[in-house]
Amino acid sequence: MNTVAVSTQKREEVGSRLAKISRSEGLVPAVIYGGKETQHVLVSPKEIKGLIYTSDFKIAKVEVDGDVVDCIVKDTQFHPVSDELIHIDFLRLSPGRPVKVEIPVRFVGTSPGVKLGGKLIQQMRKIKIKTTPENLIDEVKVDISHLDLGHVLRVKSIEVSANIEVLANSSIPIANIEIPRALKSAA
């Protein structure tokens, strides 16, 4: 499992005026919720760059007052004009308590349909799963070595362990092999 270490400063006072001051100092207000208490902290944008601006699923090891807490990014807010990160929500991972996360879908193998000139169209980049923190995975691998021209791969063909529940409709397509015009006209 990929992790990113994030150090924080605790915020004693909260409010929009103080959050605006913190942003002008180059810090991002954040909230850690879940578990016993909600904690308000400040984070450096450099610390969370590898956590936010990536397509990979990562767990944040957030350090608050010397304690390290495992968290996932639950929500982010960006400025509508400058696209600057203005707020982040972390969800504390509690052992045995299920969480819902979106993880990337990765393809393995080579499709015979692609070898014949077809085009692989990926229709689903991430999939939502529900599992406990002990069973979290960082990606779902799907075998495409059986996809021929015109075939479709659906959610029901995803194989995960028994501790993981896929929260998508089983008939939704993940990928398909599109037949190019040249091959259609030749047939």
Side-chain angles (χ1 to χ4, degrees):
M1 181 62 59
N2 295 330
T3 61
V4 174
V6 178
S7 60
T8 63
Q9 303 171 18
K10 194 161 186 156
R11 283 195 299 168
E12 298 301 329
E13 299 177 24
V14 294
S16 59
R17 185 179 62 81
L18 295 168
K20 191 173 184 180
I21 293 169
S22 299
R23 288 186 197 104
S24 68
E25 293 171 354
L27 297 172
V28 178
V31 175
I32 302 171
Y33 63 93
K36 300 175 202 127
E37 61 178 312
T38 301
Q39 296 174 313
H40 298 276
V41 295
L42 295 170
V43 182
S44 167
K46 286 183 181 179
E47 296 267 337
I48 54 175
K49 190 174 187 180
L51 191 62
I52 302 295
Y53 302 106
T54 181
S55 62
D56 297 334
F57 175 74
K58 297 181 180 181
I59 291 180
K61 297 227 177 250
V62 181
E63 182 265 324
V64 182
D65 289 339
D67 294 333
V68 178
V69 180
D70 286 345
C71 298
I72 58 171
V73 175
K74 199 62 177 169
D75 191 27
T76 54
Q77 294 175 8
F78 293 91
H79 191 276
V81 176
S82 67
D83 211 27
E84 184 180 333
L85 183 65
I86 57 173
H87 188 80
I88 184 166
D89 286 343
F90 291 107
L91 176 64
R92 184 180 289 114
L93 296 176
S94 302
R97 187 172 197 166
V99 292
K100 295 177 185 175
V101 294
E102 281 193 350
I103 57 173
V105 176
R106 305 271 192 243
F107 297 130
V108 293
T110 306
S111 168
V114 172
K115 286 183 180 178
L116 292 173
K119 184 176 180 184
L120 176 67
I121 307 292
Q122 185 174 0
Q123 296 175 339
M124 185 179 277
R125 303 227 179 264
K126 291 188 173 199
I127 192 157
K128 197 172 209 171
I129 64 168
K130 180 180 178 182
T131 186
T132 57
E134 302 84 39
N135 299 313
L136 270 176
I137 53 176
D138 52 355
E139 65 185 8
V140 170
K141 293 185 179 177
V142 181
D143 185 24
I144 60 168
S145 59
H146 63 280
L147 283 182
D148 210 351
L149 287 171
H151 287 174
V152 178
L153 185 69
R154 301 193 184 276
V155 170
K156 63 184 167 191
S157 62
I158 292 177
E159 294 178 11
V160 291
S161 69
N163 305 335
I164 299 172
E165 179 185 353
V166 177
L167 297 177
N169 189 333
S170 61
S171 63
I172 295 175
I174 299 172
N176 66 320
I177 305 296
E178 189 176 82
I179 304 171
R181 249 187 287 171
L183 288 176
K184 283 182 185 176
S185 62

